[in-house]
Amino acid sequence: MEASAIESGWRLFAAADWAGARDAFAAAVERDPEDPEALDGLGQSLWWLGDRQAGIEHRRRAYAAYQRRGDAVAAAGLATYLAAEHRIDGQEAEASGWLARARRLLDGCGPTEELGWLRIEEAKRTGDPAEAERRAAAALEMAQELGSRDVECMALAQLGRSVVRQGRTAEGIDLLDEAMTVALSGEAGDPLACGDACCTTLVVCDELADLDRALQWCEAVVDFTARRRFIPVQSWCRSIYAGVLIRAGDWERAEEALEASLRGASDRRRGSGRALPLAVLAELRIRQGRREEAERLLAGLEDPVAVPARVELALAQADVETARALLDRHAEAIGEEEPRTAALRGRVALAAGEREEATTIAARLRELGGRLGRRDLGAEADLLTGLAAAGTGDEAVAVAALEAAVSAYADVGFPLEEGGARLALAEARAGSDPGAAIDAARAARDAFERLGARGEADRAAELLRRLGVSGRSAGRGGDRDELTGREREVLALLAAGLSNAEIAERLVISPKTAEHHVGRVLRKLGVRSRAEAAALAVREGLA
């Protein structure tokens, strides 16, 4: 007997043929507009094709159809899904209503996958890590009783997240690593469950500033989502990956990841998948000193993920009051102040001349960093302490704290922040020890030039000129050994006579990105033209 349209739809869905699944489910809906399974399958297919709003609407219709058929458990599963989508969109009232509906529908029923999904959503929503751990543990126990790998991978990830938030970092990381293994090994079958586990793990690794682990998992997830055509998750994960690369100082690869992420997202609305890559790209532009571009990227972007970038931009523009207002609204909306928000508050306090407040925030960050095992928070605390002390003229305290910040940022592998701490150290020492100040300022300048942080490099150059020495490095030829792998690829193609457009086509990047790479190569080699770069590459075997 020929398979039904619904059976064909699920078979195509399992093969990640989202378009084929959509067409099959659409045919089933055309035959019976009230079939909840067909509506649900169509909604899921549309979601994975990137049409999120249409996907949500069809799954809302499926919820109502299941209710009319008296299938409370299936309806509850969709109610939990709809609660999550409204939470992501910042629509708290609607999210709470859907969650209450799911609880009522599942009241008194035994262990089911739908109840496991509900417990996981409850774990995500609570601001109490201990309560989140209890909810996630209940979901994990239920998953193991039912043999549900989908619920298991999500529960392991949420359990790991809640444990890390309580300071049991090693235990939490083990749970997250296990969640990723279940998600990426093929044990879990639901793409939404796999994506959920991946997203949770990447966020926690990113928050921990565990760059090595974050990079490993990011690369694995980006490859996995590309192979499985998990387009919405792929866009989001690439953005997290780009954020990690930015902090690690690999800005070229970060830009390429963001470019790919933005190609897979459709609009600027919350939950659309476009807000995060736009915000991360804006942060990169701010680091590069390209503030006008950052301002354009953030224009009209009200999503909470954009708040840190908007605060960074306001600080770069010396608009302290806007930065403070943004942080106040953000803390009110999310109901808690995460570490990055606290660190930004410290910078706002310094910009406002509130050095005592900055020192108080530094102490809070140091305690939080010790409790969570986050060395980056300790580095930020040292930097705030040093800058506050420098502002009051206490050079001994400033120098000690800033030296500690330099060392800590070097340990965690944050080159821009390390350069910033070196520059602050140079400024603190300028009056009493000009020689040491010059050494620190030169090291900062060189780091900024390697990264392409133009504004910060200008600040370092200005300090060096005030100290009576040349502000710019003597020549860029010394950077030729620091060409990245991608830059060497570009140089080889440039030496072969390819244009920017041809380089872009060969490397599957945009012409604008190819132009950016070529410019970086010319600057690093200290040459003025493509012909000079090609000749140098051939002569010295650089390509």
Side-chain angles (χ1 to χ4, degrees):
M1 185 174 66
E2 183 180 352
S4 71
I6 290 179
E7 289 172 341
S8 296
W10 287 124
R11 186 172 62 252
L12 292 163
F13 188 90
D17 183 353
W18 314 124
R22 174 201 59 199
D23 293 344
F25 287 124
V29 170
E30 188 174 350
R31 280 196 291 272
D32 182 0
E34 290 296 307
D35 188 320
E37 188 177 358
L39 287 165
D40 190 14
L42 179 55
Q44 291 189 54
S45 302
L46 288 167
W47 195 95
W48 286 104
L49 281 167
D51 193 349
R52 178 173 179 263
Q53 295 306 315
I56 292 171
E57 181 54 35
H58 279 85
R59 298 197 80 186
R60 194 193 312 271
R61 288 174 57 193
Y63 160 82
Y66 274 125
Q67 282 281 63
R68 285 191 290 272
R69 291 196 177 188
D71 191 338
V73 173
L78 285 167
T80 299
Y81 160 79
L82 291 165
E85 293 287 16
H86 284 292
R87 169 178 54 78
I88 290 167
D89 284 346
Q91 298 167 346
E92 184 56 35
E94 292 93 332
S96 295
W98 282 111
L99 203 63
R101 195 65 184 142
R103 290 190 185 110
R104 184 178 298 278
L105 290 169
L106 291 172
D107 185 34
C109 81
T112 63
E113 284 198 342
E114 290 78 6
L115 187 55
W117 282 80
L118 174 61
R119 294 291 175 257
I120 289 163
E121 178 61 21
E122 290 172 337
K124 292 178 183 180
R125 289 173 58 84
T126 180
D128 179 1
E131 177 61 23
E133 181 181 0
R134 286 192 288 274
R135 300 282 184 177
L140 179 60
E141 182 179 354
M142 203 174 304
Q144 291 171 337
E145 180 180 344
L146 295 168
S148 171
R149 297 294 178 258
D150 295 332
V151 175
E152 183 180 21
C153 72
M154 292 187 296
L156 284 166
Q158 287 304 318
L159 190 59
R161 175 175 178 264
S162 62
V163 166
V164 166
R165 290 175 67 199
Q166 294 176 75
R168 290 145 49 203
T169 304
E171 179 187 349
I173 287 295
D174 285 346
L175 289 163
L176 291 163
D177 286 347
E178 184 181 356
M180 292 295 279
T181 300
V182 177
L184 302 184
S185 67
E187 289 185 59
D190 188 327
L192 197 60
C194 295
D196 186 272
C198 291
C199 291
T200 300
T201 300
L202 295 189
V203 167
V204 174
C205 289
D206 184 39
E207 290 174 348
L208 284 173
D210 186 346
L211 294 187
D212 288 340
R213 177 176 261 97
L215 284 170
Q216 289 176 37
W217 279 130
C218 280
E219 288 168 357
V221 169
V222 167
D223 177 66
F224 174 78
T225 55
R227 282 188 285 105
R228 296 291 298 273
R229 297 193 288 279
F230 290 1
I231 298 169
V233 174
Q234 183 183 16
S235 176
W236 193 92
C237 290
R238 284 185 189 277
S239 301
I240 295 293
Y241 184 30
V244 175
L245 290 169
I246 288 168
R247 279 185 289 286
D250 195 344
W251 292 1
E252 288 88 352
R253 285 173 68 200
E255 189 147 349
E256 290 171 16
L258 289 168
E259 195 174 273
S261 180
L262 287 166
R263 281 199 301 270
S266 57
D267 58 46
R268 298 170 70 92
R269 290 174 294 181
R270 281 187 179 184
S272 68
R274 195 169 174 84
L276 182 60
L278 284 170
V280 176
L281 183 56
E283 289 195 50
L284 176 57
R285 293 291 180 256
I286 294 166
R287 286 170 176 248
Q288 292 169 329
R290 297 156 65 177
R291 296 175 191 170
E292 290 183 0
E293 291 179 57
E295 192 168 10
R296 287 196 295 271
L297 289 165
L298 294 170
L301 200 59
E302 298 296 328
D303 196 290
V305 300
V307 170
R310 294 172 68 196
V311 173
E312 294 276 9
L313 180 61
L315 287 171
Q317 296 170 332
D319 187 351
V320 178
E321 291 312 309
T322 294
R324 195 192 303 274
L326 284 167
L327 286 174
D328 288 343
R329 289 199 299 271
H330 186 58
E332 184 179 346
I334 64 175
E336 60 178 326
E337 189 159 286
E338 74 272 20
R340 187 173 185 191
T341 305
L344 287 170
R345 281 200 184 278
R347 292 183 53 200
V348 169
L350 280 176
E354 300 165 357
R355 299 183 184 90
E356 187 174 337
E357 174 66 12
T359 303
T360 299
I361 292 171
R364 192 188 318 158
L365 284 170
R366 187 171 288 108
E367 183 277 329
L368 192 59
R371 178 158 52 84
L372 298 178
R374 286 189 53 175
R375 294 175 296 165
D376 64 310
L377 297 183
E380 184 71 21
D382 289 331
L383 181 62
L384 286 174
T385 300
L387 291 171
T392 62
D394 190 342
E395 183 179 339
V397 171
V399 167
L402 292 170
E403 285 178 338
V406 169
S407 177
Y409 278 128
D411 285 346
V412 296
F414 286 14
L416 182 70
E417 288 77 4
E418 180 188 347
R422 287 189 187 280
L423 183 56
L425 179 60
E427 290 170 335
R429 282 180 156 171
S432 62
D433 192 347
I438 288 170
D439 289 342
R442 279 176 172 160
R445 176 203 61 197
D446 292 347
F448 296 144
E449 288 183 346
R450 283 194 297 271
L451 287 167
R454 297 185 307 206
E456 295 303 295
D458 289 343
R459 281 184 56 212
E462 172 59 27
L463 176 59
L464 286 165
R465 285 192 291 270
R466 292 204 315 266
L467 291 168
V469 297
S470 173
R472 288 301 182 192
S473 50
R476 304 307 295 156
D479 280 348
R480 63 189 58 175
D481 291 333
E482 295 171 6
L483 291 175
T484 65
R486 176 62 95 188
E487 287 165 352
R488 287 182 179 275
E489 287 182 278
V490 169
L491 179 57
L493 296 174
L494 189 155
L498 273 66
S499 67
N500 287 355
E502 290 167 331
I503 291 172
E505 184 178 358
R506 185 73 62 87
L507 298 179
V508 198
I509 58 178
S510 74
K512 185 176 180 180
T513 299
E515 180 183 354
H516 176 68
H517 282 315
V518 169
R520 292 271 292 172
V521 168
L522 297 184
R523 286 196 300 275
K524 286 189 175 184
L525 295 180
V527 298
R528 291 171 295 183
S529 70
R530 302 165 69 90
E532 286 184 60
L536 183 63
V538 172
R539 186 171 67 247
E540 300 193 14
L542 295 177

